[in-house]
Amino acid sequence: MRNFSVLSDLDFESVVSDLIAGEVGTHVERFARGADGGIDLRWRLPGGQLAIAQCKHYFKSSFSQLLASAKDEVSKVKKQAPGEYRFYTSFDLTVSQKQKIYELFSSWMSGPELVYGGRDIDGELTRNGEVERRHIKLWLSTGTELFWATNSELASRSSMLRTRLERTLNTYIEGDSYEESMKILDEHNVCLIAGVPGIGKSALAQMLVASYLALGYQPIEVSEDIKEAWAALDTKHSQIFFYDDFLGQISFSERMGKNEDSRLANFIDAVGGMKHKKLVMTTREYILRDARRDYRRLVDLGDDLHFILELDDYSRLDRAQILYSHLWHADVSVECLAELSDGGWKRIVDHSGYNPRLIEYCTGPSFDSSSKGYLDRFVDILTHPEELWRNAYERHLIDSQKALLLTLASMPVQASHPDLQAAYLSFCSESHLHANAASFRSSLEMLEMTFISIAKRGAEVMVSFHSPSVAEFILDQIREDPATLSSLIASVVFFEQLTALRNATGEDSSFSTSASSGVVRHMPINLFGDEFTEALMGTFESPSPVKILNQSGYVTGYEDPYGLFENRLEAVLGLEPELRPPNTWIESRLVFLADRWKNLQGEKSDAIRLYRKVSKLQKDRSISVSEEVLAEFHETLESWLSSSLEGTSDWSAFVDFNSFEDVDDIDDDIRDQFLDHALSELDAWDPSPPDLNDLVELAELFDVYPSIEESVAEAHQREEEHDAKQEDDSHATRYPRSRMSETGGDIDEMFNRFKASES
């Protein structure tokens, strides 16, 4: 009999639904548990009456438990009064057991043959092979079991591989990555799967191996050296070779002995030319990049053999099904499972730190899955997955590569290549590390796709952390090491590096985490007050590492963002008093900004906010600047705001600064000037000005709205027509999905099966 244990309850229902649909030739409806009233599946009989079926996936349970559950369904079925009722279970029923269930539902069954046990379903699948093939886990489980049964010698030699394959089959969810990697393997006979630790490389590779086992291929697992594969190569048999972590788990030096790269490359060439040979390899992407630099033949591994597995390859539905499948097969208490129903699952599935390895860990025997608070514990692991990265960081990366990551942690979320290089070289110099442009490029290449991501935006290359969990891990390294933090402060090239370090290491940091000791640790920037303050003053007028982007998101230049210096001074004034520069320096920055405003440079809304901050701190005696400087600061800002009223945002800033409370406070000339502006804006934009709502609010304040009301109505009409056309165009290119919805409704129904009230 087929191994139904690889199926979840949802999988089992889906198999039964397809079997019934194939038999009756009509659509079979499926329903969520809890709202079904005794219905899992429903369809129409030829006479028009409704038929319903119940599915009980009870492979873990005793018959007494199954019978008790069946008795609970009787009252529900009585209310439905179906024309036909069927009962399906994966339990292997005896004749007497089937009779007992039939007696419960005999009023709606023509005979005990409508009670389907595991062997009955097994027979139906044998007669309907296309149904089994649609359910990949069941098909692979059947195929691999048949292979092991008919190849006992191989089963004995490959017992560990067999165990891993069976475990993976239980929880694996087929997604696009499986199809794409299978296509590579089919076309080229070789597939190299690379990705970050824990992303699911080995599980995907094992599914590929299982797929070919089901086709009769003999598995050859390579554990130490490619010489094992050469020794096992047999031209008489179909074979699939599996080389997990072929470059080592920590470093390629573990495995890449003398001439190993040539032997591996030669084996790949050989397999690529053989019809019935397949090779599946996995590695961590950063190790592959490192090895390619030192081993010439590895460069020859073409990109057409290369499948990069990334978190983006998992859709929201994929993530939810992976989680559900692990929970279904795990020993998790019903109380803990209930915490994931009613939307609790979203905290895991939508978490930025979602990772298949962490899902496996949090549903495994080493994790507390029996006591209250399971969901919170689960989310904590996703939020702080430091151990996922620690091994690779501490044991594999060299100091210059670590330096690049430490530097990146002080930069904007996306740092430009030249800015990051400048900051990196400065940090290496301060840390007495030898570094140059070549080592910077080398480090980027090795870290890409694991610790960092590199993307081109227009003509500019931008660098960022591969995921939030990596960024957090690197920040933890900074928090826990005073020497590193001190060197970063002393080496900063950009003012924003200091604010990033302050935000990430202060005691009010939103990034604060629990270290391995279990105690929340901080590395307050206050410990380096003098160094920090000196760096602030030295970088205040530095260029900004934040790039100006156009509407397409591409870098358009290196100009400073609007409000750069206003925001920088506001950040300085927001620091603790012991970190602020002297009052004389603050005065000099006020003069510096006033000179810029005279030249119409800056961002008005930021300038107003800064002015109010300065005024408050002066009033509270938190800072002390001369009254002359403060008066000049005010007068310059007032003049700038009133003398450059060109756009609606200029008018909003003017009103904000003057705090008009009544229309009588506004000069008639100013009111007329605004009316001219409003009419001009409404006439110039199609379908409407981008800040139409602001324009209307200002018109009401200036008491000129009646003069523009008709034009505003026309603008709203054009907006509605424009939006309707865009919506029509959107629907015209939308394709229907055949899978479950990813919006949450169908997924909610899936996880609501875990409510404690359900058996």
Side-chain angles (χ1 to χ4, degrees):
M1 191 175 81
R2 287 169 174 80
N3 179 18
F4 293 114
S5 68
V6 298
L7 303 177
S8 70
D9 58 339
L10 280 169
D11 297 330
F12 181 68
E13 282 182 18
S14 181
V15 169
V16 172
S17 174
D18 285 351
L19 285 173
I20 295 174
E23 175 193 345
V24 302
T26 188
H27 173 65
V28 176
E29 299 174 276
R30 295 177 64 189
F31 298 92
R33 183 178 297 182
D36 56 7
I39 303 174
D40 285 332
L41 306 172
R42 184 175 69 183
W43 66 99
R44 289 276 180 186
L45 296 171
Q49 286 183 296
L50 286 174
I52 62 177
Q54 196 74 34
C55 300
K56 298 291 184 182
H57 190 22
Y58 265 57
F59 71 94
K60 294 180 180 179
S61 309
S62 65
F63 177 72
S64 61
Q65 291 173 310
L66 175 63
L67 186 62
S69 179
K71 289 178 180 178
D72 290 340
E73 301 295 333
V74 175
S75 61
K76 301 176 184 177
V77 178
K78 188 174 183 179
K79 290 180 181 179
Q80 297 290 333
E84 179 179 285
Y85 181 75
R86 298 186 185 188
F87 188 94
Y88 288 82
T89 177
S90 54
F91 196 92
D92 189 13
L93 298 172
T94 65
V95 173
S96 63
Q97 289 170 341
K98 181 180 288 194
Q99 182 67 26
K100 288 179 181 179
I101 295 175
Y102 164 68
E103 289 172 358
L104 295 175
F105 304 104
S106 58
S107 298
W108 308 283
M109 287 183 174
S110 58
E113 67 275 6
L114 293 186
V115 177
Y116 292 79
R119 291 186 186 275
D120 299 313
I121 299 171
D122 188 70
E124 291 294 314
L125 286 168
T126 299
R127 289 186 289 274
N128 296 274
E130 70 281 359
V131 172
E132 183 175 26
R133 285 190 290 274
R134 283 202 298 271
H135 296 271
I136 187 72
K137 288 200 296 185
L138 186 60
W139 177 69
L140 290 183
S141 175
T142 302
T144 55
E145 286 196 353
L146 179 61
F147 178 86
W148 297 125
T150 55
N151 293 272
S152 57
E153 182 181 348
L154 280 173
S156 177
R157 284 188 301 174
S158 306
S159 59
M160 293 182 65
L161 175 61
R162 179 180 181 179
T163 299
R164 295 201 304 277
L165 290 179
E166 289 173 349
R167 186 168 61 241
T168 298
L169 280 170
N170 281 343
T171 56
Y172 193 82
I173 299 298
E174 180 188 0
D176 293 341
S177 59
Y178 172 79
E179 293 296 332
E180 291 175 29
S181 54
M182 272 292 288
K183 183 178 179 181
I184 292 173
L185 192 57
D186 288 343
E187 291 182 359
H188 303 285
N189 294 341
V190 179
C191 182
L192 194 166
I193 303 170
V196 298
I199 199 68
K201 301 182 298 295
S202 295
L204 174 57
Q206 289 164 18
M207 287 296 289
L208 300 182
V209 172
S211 298
Y212 277 91
L213 256 67
L215 296 174
Y217 279 66
Q218 294 181 356
I220 307 296
E221 185 172 21
V222 181
S223 58
E224 296 294 336
D225 191 287
I226 198 64
K227 286 189 294 185
E228 299 172 39
W230 278 112
L233 189 65
D234 184 350
T235 57
K236 297 179 181 178
H237 296 93
S238 299
Q239 294 174 302
I240 181 164
F241 298 85
F242 177 37
Y243 199 174
D244 203 16
D245 284 319
F246 79 98
L247 291 175
Q249 293 185 342
I250 303 299
S251 169
F252 65 87
S253 60
E254 294 175 39
R255 284 185 172 163
M256 297 300 285
K258 185 177 181 180
N259 297 325
E260 172 74 354
D261 61 324
S262 294
R263 291 198 301 272
L264 177 61
N266 291 338
F267 187 78
I268 290 172
D269 289 342
V271 168
M274 297 181 181
K275 186 176 181 181
H276 299 296
K277 296 289 183 288
K278 306 293 178 182
L279 171 62
V280 180
M281 301 182 292
T282 75
T283 186
R284 301 183 182 192
E285 179 69 7
Y286 66 86
I287 298 179
L288 176 62
R289 290 179 177 275
D290 208 3
R292 274 178 159 171
R293 284 205 322 272
D294 290 4
Y295 291 91
R296 181 184 57 82
R297 289 299 304 273
L298 294 185
V299 177
D300 298 336
L301 296 182
D303 290 338
D304 52 354
L305 311 178
H306 207 163
F307 179 76
I308 305 295
L309 184 61
E310 297 180 310
L311 191 58
D312 287 345
D313 293 323
Y314 298 107
S315 69
R316 191 177 194 233
L317 178 59
D318 291 336
R319 296 184 187 197
Q321 290 179 320
I322 289 170
L323 173 61
Y324 184 90
S325 183
H326 276 83
L327 290 166
W328 167 260
H329 291 280
D331 187 18
V332 180
S333 70
V334 291
E335 292 80 12
C336 290
L337 290 174
E339 294 181 23
L340 278 75
S341 62
D342 292 327
W345 57 269
K346 296 176 185 177
R347 294 179 60 194
I348 297 172
V349 170
D350 295 333
H351 197 289
S352 59
Y354 182 101
N355 181 283
R357 178 178 293 174
L358 296 180
I359 301 303
E360 181 179 13
Y361 172 74
C362 292
T363 55
S366 300
F367 195 71
D368 180 2
S369 56
S370 59
S371 60
K372 186 178 179 180
Y374 177 66
L375 179 56
D376 288 337
R377 291 191 297 276
F378 205 130
V379 172
D380 282 344
I381 289 293
L382 299 182
T383 304
H384 307 297
E386 294 84 1
E387 293 306 315
L388 189 65
W389 306 102
R390 189 176 301 280
N391 203 27
Y393 179 84
E394 293 181 350
R395 298 185 58 186
H396 180 71
L397 302 187
I398 61 176
D399 287 344
S400 60
Q401 293 158 358
K402 293 178 182 178
L404 191 149
L405 295 174
L406 294 168
T407 304
L408 183 58
S410 70
M411 297 292 285
V413 174
Q414 288 198 342
S416 75
H417 184 284
D419 288 346
L420 180 59
Q421 177 174 310
Y424 163 80
L425 294 177
S426 178
F427 175 60
C428 287
S429 176
E430 184 66 32
S431 304
H432 307 291
L433 295 174
H434 174 71
N436 52 32
S439 66
F440 175 70
R441 288 194 301 272
S442 174
S443 295
L444 282 178
E445 291 173 2
M446 204 285 289
L447 296 169
E448 187 183 4
M449 297 304 296
T450 51
F451 288 93
I452 65 173
S453 295
I454 301 176
K456 200 167 185 181
R457 304 185 71 179
E460 189 67 32
V461 175
M462 309 297 285
V463 184
S464 60
F465 282 111
H466 186 274
S467 71
S469 65
V470 183
E472 253 185 80
F473 171 77
I474 300 302
L475 286 170
D476 274 343
Q477 308 310 301
I478 297 172
R479 295 183 192 106
E480 297 172 10
D481 186 356
T484 294
L485 182 53
S486 178
S487 294
L488 279 169
I489 293 170
S491 70
V492 294
V493 176
F494 305 103
F495 179 93
E496 284 69 23
Q497 288 180 267
L498 293 165
T499 54
L501 291 171
R502 169 64 186 85
N503 292 338
T505 59
E507 294 201 14
D508 58 347
S509 167
S510 60
F511 293 97
S512 299
T513 59
S514 296
S516 56
S517 63
V519 179
V520 176
R521 298 178 60 183
H522 305 278
M523 186 59 61
I525 210 81
N526 306 55
L527 296 178
F528 311 96
D530 291 342
E531 298 172 59
F532 187 82
T533 303
E534 183 178 348
L536 276 176
M537 296 188 291
T539 58
F540 185 82
E541 295 186 40
S542 66
S544 173
V546 179
K547 298 304 172 192
I548 298 176
L549 306 180
N550 65 17
Q551 292 181 346
S552 300
Y554 293 120
V555 173
T556 57
Y558 293 91
E559 298 86 356
D560 293 334
Y562 295 121
L564 172 66
F565 297 111
E566 288 83 2
N567 286 324
R568 285 181 175 179
L569 186 54
E570 185 180 11
V572 170
L573 296 175
L575 294 170
E576 299 89 332
E578 62 268 25
L579 293 178
R580 288 184 203 142
N583 287 319
T584 53
W585 183 88
I586 294 174
E587 272 193 8
S588 71
R589 297 303 89 192
L590 296 179
V591 173
F592 168 79
L593 284 172
D595 288 342
R596 287 174 53 82
W597 296 344
K598 291 174 184 177
N599 294 317
L600 308 182
Q601 295 176 307
E603 174 59 35
K604 292 180 177 180
S605 60
D606 294 331
I608 294 169
R609 190 173 62 249
L610 174 63
Y611 169 74
R612 289 172 178 162
K613 178 95 170 180
V614 171
S615 299
K616 183 179 184 302
L617 291 175
Q618 178 81 344
K619 182 179 180 180
D620 295 342
R621 299 186 177 181
S622 295
I623 62 172
S624 179
V625 298
S626 71
E627 292 300 328
E628 293 80 3
V629 169
L630 195 58
E632 176 70 13
F633 192 62
H634 173 273
E635 291 171 7
T636 303
L637 178 57
E638 184 177 41
S639 175
W640 177 34
L641 295 174
S642 61
S643 64
S644 55
L645 296 171
E646 297 178 358
T648 301
S649 61
D650 295 322
W651 282 98
S652 295
F654 173 75
V655 168
D656 181 23
F657 181 74
N658 287 279
S659 302
F660 295 119
E661 296 182 0
D662 190 276
V663 68
D664 293 333
D665 297 333
I666 303 174
D667 183 87
D668 288 342
D669 290 339
I670 290 293
R671 184 185 296 107
D672 292 341
Q673 187 178 345
F674 172 77
L675 178 58
D676 290 342
H677 163 75
L679 291 170
S680 175
E681 286 288 284
L682 289 164
D683 182 60
W685 290 90
D686 184 26
S688 67
D691 43 16
L692 180 60
N693 291 336
D694 292 341
L695 196 69
V696 169
E697 288 182 10
L698 289 169
E700 291 173 343
L701 173 66
F702 281 93
D703 197 24
V704 297
Y705 182 70
S707 300
I708 67 170
E709 185 173 9
E710 184 177 346
S711 297
V712 169
E714 292 175 358
H716 279 307
Q717 177 65 29
R718 290 195 300 270
E719 269 189 340
E720 291 174 2
E721 293 172 354
H722 179 73
D723 291 344
K725 184 178 185 302
Q726 286 194 321
E727 184 70 15
D728 289 342
D729 292 343
S730 173
H731 285 302
T733 58
R734 194 169 296 159
Y735 293 93
R737 291 180 61 85
S738 59
R739 305 174 67 187
M740 288 171 59
S741 168
E742 300 195 5
T743 59
D746 288 347
I747 303 177
D748 257 329
E749 292 179 359
M750 179 167 64
F751 282 98
N752 283 345
R753 293 166 173 259
F754 286 147
K755 288 183 178 179
S757 60
E758 296 293 320
S759 59

